[in-house]
Amino acid sequence: MRTATPRSIVVWTVVGLVGAAGWAVLALSRGEDVSAAWMVAAALGTYAIAYRFYAKFIAYKVLKVDAKRATPAERLNDGIDFHPTDRRVLLGHHFAAIAGAGPLVGPVLAAQMGYLPGTIWIIVGVIFAGAVQDMVVLFFSTRRDGKSLGQMAREEIGPFGGAAALVAAFAIMIILLGVLALVIVNALAASPWGTFSIAMTIPIALFMGFYLRVLRPGRISEVSLIGVALLLLALVAGRWVAESSLADTFTLAPSTLVIWMVAYGFIASVLPVWMLLAPRDYLSTFMKLGTIALLAVGVVVALPTLKMDAVTDFASRGDGPVFAGSLFPFVFITIACGALSGFHALISSGTTPKMIQKETQVRIIGYGSMLMESSVAVMALVAASIIDPGLYFAMNAPAGVIGDSVQSASQAVAHLGYSISPADLAAAAKNVEETTLLSRTGGAPTLAIGVSEIFSKVTGGGLRAFWYHFAIMFEALFILTALDAGTRVGRFMLQDMLGNVYKPFKNIGWKPGLVLTSGVVVALWGYFLWVGVHEPLGGINQLFPIFGISNQLLAAVALAVCTTLLVKSGRLKWAWITGVPLVWDATVTLTASWQKVFSSDPKVGFFQQRANYQDAIDAGKVLPPAKNMDDMHTVVTNSTVDGVLSAALALLIVVVILDATRVCIRHVRRPEASRLSEAPYVESTLVAPAGLIPTQAEKAEAEREETRDGGVGAASGG
């Protein structure tokens, strides 16, 4: 821990003042125009302070990360799943794996409540909950040979609560993967540009993997430049393909995309991690962060005004057209990734702990990656908040609310308290070369409109259509990286579960188990995806309504495991670090679960919705979105399944929390009776920096190691 210098004190004071100024403007403005640049200032200033001080405090004071302790990647290196990976590549892989649909879509939908509630939750939530969860789970999984979250729960909490955690985590994982896959299919269907560009990232990643492994080991800078150049070429070529005779070849039907995605998910799960998964995720990170950074610069240059209200009337009334429910608890459910996400805990206890070189890197990879994802969420909220509110609601309200013409949409938006003319709605679609923008729900098109708005202002008002379609393709790439890593993590989880019954599965490198479990995972989410693509009300569409709640329930499992491990490992006085976020997340999520199951509002409560549709069936009526009696029966089935699943998952999480509480109390009373399933200490021989930029001491250590070993075996320190 370095002593603060006068220069560093001045620098961090300025950073803090920038962040404080951003918050002051956002919170105190009443009626006057507010530039989106203040939202960016509040976010970046807060992130910097949190990473520099809070994350460092947790890593070195609470967790006591040990650079001399060998990680599983070093001790168990098998070249397939366990592989010491340069922290720059691993940062890219981890960020790409956690940053799926959530940080792009959730904030866009939550803009219905106004820009201020979402901004507060995204920024405050990530620094005290989301990033803390990711870093602490990564640390404890690294100390346990990279075991999955469910397996850690079973070993540290006990067989009862652990079994509940295993079942809940795996079930939620399949739901999350199915939803992510559906978003990708919707984004790439009939998009030759996106399909071609994304397909090209696979051979580029394979080349990068072999380049680092065989041709030029450790040459991260070289392969990064080559990879970025090839990626940019693929993006440009994608537009050429879309305008050429090859367009039909890369214009794939949804069912064809499902087959290709299932095949890709299986291959990415079984191939050595260095060959495809890590380099592809690392490659996509350049595009993800590059686009978000350019978007932030665009906001500063163009200075767009936030047109959405700070807090809308829907926040208190709970009758918004985008999603039903009041600000509490549903903003905190709708915005998951970017603030707090249970899915991240699966990645932090999945691929990443098997690849990390040093415990000291958990701060940059665990906490840092989550701050990066949170910045994506902030920019998504900015994009949704700078467009005309009338256009926002016309795009995000379902057809049952606004109709199917610009005239009916204009009238419906007026009833919501906003205004936009039919001519403006038609012009907005024409500007981005779309036939219509009405009811383009799901968040992605709205984000694309916001991106095109910002970038077109920077480029002089033109190229709106280019930037719109670029953003649509960008979102598909963003999400696919979460799908492939998630499939591999699902395989690890299933191997851990089956290993409790048949021991060979505990060896995750066992080829029969590797192939079998990968096949089962892709078959499960692939089945729900296939049915969902062919039946608008079936398959994964049936489970979509419980996506947000499932994700946050999983976060409760992760925080319960972290709190239990802090207590059992002698860190009781620091248990509040994960305990307070656990209490908040459990309160929010269980409240939302209760309302989704038992609310008397049919737009919120699954069982009330079921009763209304059943009454309509009995009366011979057809209610939207159903088009016929078969659809009516499907809605009844879906509402029943969603209600039962919501209740069952909530019950499982309550079991986990209660059992974790029992274990913590028992440890406080009888610490000698507790047992930690921590791997034995082995001294590390690897040399690698803790952060992206090596310190002078780390550079000197790397040079000494290279001199002693003749340059062989030392990790890259540059």
Side-chain angles (χ1 to χ4, degrees):
M1 303 284 283
R2 289 177 291 180
T3 304
T5 64
R7 179 174 176 272
S8 68
I9 292 174
V10 171
V11 168
W12 288 108
T13 300
V14 171
V15 170
L17 289 174
V18 168
W23 281 116
V25 172
L26 293 176
L28 301 178
S29 295
R30 294 291 184 273
E32 61 267 35
D33 290 341
V34 178
S35 170
W38 289 114
M39 191 184 295
V40 175
L44 296 182
T46 307
Y47 294 154
I49 294 293
Y51 181 78
R52 170 60 179 82
F53 297 101
Y54 192 51
K56 192 172 185 179
F57 160 74
I58 295 173
Y60 290 94
K61 181 71 173 179
V62 178
L63 301 179
K64 299 185 186 302
V65 292
D66 186 356
K68 296 181 179 179
R69 187 185 186 115
T71 64
E74 181 180 355
R75 291 187 291 103
L76 306 175
N77 186 359
D78 61 5
I80 299 176
D81 296 309
F82 293 92
H83 177 67
T85 304
D86 186 282
R87 82 274 182 201
R88 292 163 291 190
V89 175
L90 187 57
L91 177 67
H93 159 73
H94 185 80
F95 168 72
I98 64 173
L104 296 172
V105 175
V108 172
L109 302 181
Q112 167 184 267
M113 302 292 191
Y115 65 79
L116 190 57
T119 301
I120 294 173
W121 171 233
I122 290 169
I123 299 174
V124 176
V126 73
I127 63 175
F128 291 113
V132 172
Q133 171 206 257
D134 292 12
M135 177 170 65
V136 177
V137 169
L138 176 57
F139 171 78
F140 282 126
S141 181
T142 300
R143 283 279 175 98
R144 285 156 180 78
D145 290 340
K147 287 179 180 172
S148 67
L149 176 67
Q151 187 63 24
M152 285 197 295
R154 186 180 185 277
E155 293 179 355
E156 301 292 352
I157 295 178
F160 186 58
L166 278 167
V167 172
F170 188 72
I172 292 171
M173 183 69 165
I174 297 302
I175 295 172
L176 299 183
L177 291 175
V179 170
L180 291 175
L182 181 65
V183 175
I184 297 168
V185 169
N186 290 338
L188 292 185
S191 175
W193 181 9
T195 302
F196 174 83
S197 299
I198 289 175
M200 288 301 100
T201 63
I202 297 174
I204 294 172
L206 288 169
F207 168 75
M208 292 174 65
F210 279 99
Y211 193 96
L212 282 176
R213 179 82 172 187
V214 180
L215 300 178
R216 302 273 284 174
R219 304 292 182 174
I220 302 296
S221 300
E222 285 182 20
V223 79
S224 298
L225 291 174
I226 295 171
V228 170
L230 292 174
L231 176 61
L232 292 175
L233 179 61
L235 294 175
V236 174
R239 196 180 191 198
W240 295 340
V241 167
E243 297 171 352
S244 73
S245 59
L246 292 173
D248 289 343
T249 303
F250 289 94
T251 302
L252 303 181
S255 56
T256 305
L257 283 168
V258 172
I259 295 171
W260 279 111
M261 286 170 55
V262 167
Y264 170 72
F266 178 81
I267 292 170
S269 179
V270 300
L271 283 181
V273 70
W274 59 265
M275 188 181 296
L276 176 60
L277 190 67
R280 188 187 176 286
D281 289 354
Y282 176 62
L283 178 67
S284 72
T285 295
F286 284 103
M287 181 180 171
K288 291 180 177 182
L289 290 183
T291 301
I292 294 302
L294 287 175
L295 200 55
V297 172
V299 168
V300 174
V301 173
L303 296 176
T305 300
L306 296 170
K307 296 179 181 178
M308 186 64 74
D309 297 330
V311 182
T312 68
D313 292 339
F314 300 123
S316 57
R317 296 205 311 257
D319 59 350
V322 180
F323 63 90
S326 57
L327 188 153
F328 179 88
F330 289 105
V331 160
F332 309 100
I333 299 299
T334 305
I335 300 178
C337 299
L340 172 65
S341 169
F343 177 76
H344 296 188
L346 302 182
I347 303 298
S348 292
S349 61
T351 53
T352 307
K354 299 175 180 66
M355 300 162 68
I356 194 168
Q357 292 173 318
K358 291 288 183 183
E359 283 187 3
T360 48
Q361 295 171 352
V362 300
R363 178 178 170 224
I364 180 64
I365 293 169
Y367 202 97
S369 289
M370 185 53 181
L371 291 183
M372 289 156 56
E373 192 199 47
S374 187
S375 69
V376 174
V378 168
M379 295 314 303
L381 185 57
V382 166
S385 301
I386 63 168
I387 67 175
D388 187 285
L391 178 58
Y392 169 86
F393 286 107
M395 292 183 68
N396 289 282
V401 174
I402 66 170
D404 56 3
S405 69
V406 291
Q407 289 78 17
S408 64
S410 177
Q411 294 173 2
V413 168
H415 290 149
L416 294 174
Y418 300 92
S419 63
I420 187 168
S421 69
D424 287 340
L425 285 172
K430 184 178 180 181
N431 287 338
V432 294
E433 298 179 9
E434 290 281 351
T435 55
T436 181
L437 290 175
L438 302 183
S439 298
R440 296 295 299 274
T441 57
T446 304
L447 173 63
I449 287 288
V451 169
S452 69
E453 180 84 10
I454 294 170
F455 283 162
S456 64
K457 284 185 177 180
V458 174
T459 55
L463 300 175
R464 284 181 182 270
F466 172 84
W467 291 120
Y468 174 85
H469 289 283
F470 170 83
I472 292 291
M473 185 272 299
F474 160 75
E475 290 175 82
L477 176 63
F478 219 106
I479 300 165
L480 187 58
T481 53
L483 182 69
D484 53 19
T487 299
R488 197 180 190 98
V489 171
R491 188 250 287 182
F492 293 150
M493 293 170 62
L494 188 55
Q495 286 178 290
D496 278 344
M497 290 173 64
L498 295 177
N500 294 319
V501 179
Y502 186 57
K503 288 188 178 180
F505 279 103
K506 284 189 176 293
N507 176 12
I508 63 172
W510 183 50
K511 293 294 176 62
L514 182 155
V515 173
L516 175 63
T517 51
S518 296
V520 170
V521 172
V522 296
L524 287 171
W525 65 254
Y527 166 77
F528 286 113
L529 177 61
W530 178 268
V531 176
V533 163
H534 290 85
E535 298 179 20
L537 296 176
I540 197 59
N541 298 303
Q542 181 185 58
L543 302 176
F544 202 101
I546 63 174
F547 172 79
I549 287 178
S550 299
N551 194 26
Q552 299 304 71
L553 287 173
L554 191 56
V557 173
L559 290 167
V561 172
C562 290
T563 305
T564 303
L565 284 169
L566 286 174
V567 172
K568 289 179 65 177
S569 60
R571 301 173 173 93
L572 175 61
K573 68 177 180 178
W574 305 121
W576 59 268
I577 290 172
T578 54
V580 172
L582 169 60
V583 172
W584 167 256
D585 181 55
T587 302
V588 167
T589 313
L590 293 176
T591 300
S593 297
W594 179 270
Q595 292 186 19
K596 293 299 289 183
V597 175
F598 298 112
S599 173
S600 59
D601 182 350
K603 293 181 179 179
V604 177
F606 291 127
F607 288 159
Q608 186 61 52
Q609 182 185 75
R610 180 197 182 284
N612 284 16
Y613 275 80
Q614 186 60 57
D615 290 344
I617 290 173
D618 295 340
K621 298 179 181 178
V622 175
L623 304 178
K627 294 181 174 62
N628 50 52
M629 275 298 168
D630 286 341
D631 286 352
M632 291 289 290
H633 285 287
T634 300
V635 172
V636 169
T637 301
N638 290 355
S639 300
T640 305
V641 170
D642 288 339
V644 171
L645 273 177
S646 296
L649 290 174
L651 182 60
L652 285 171
I653 270 56
V654 169
V655 169
V656 173
I657 293 174
L658 290 177
D659 211 18
T661 303
R662 176 188 62 80
V663 171
C664 291
I665 293 173
R666 185 186 64 185
H667 174 81
V668 172
R669 290 176 175 174
R670 296 178 56 211
E672 70 280 357
S674 296
R675 181 183 61 85
L676 284 172
S677 300
E678 195 172 272
Y681 177 91
V682 175
E683 188 169 354
S684 174
T685 59
L686 280 178
V687 175
L692 286 182
I693 302 174
T695 64
Q696 291 299 322
E698 289 171 338
K699 287 180 179 179
E701 183 183 11
E703 290 172 359
R704 288 194 299 270
E705 186 69 16
E706 289 179 2
T707 301
R708 182 168 63 250
D709 295 346
V712 178
S716 172

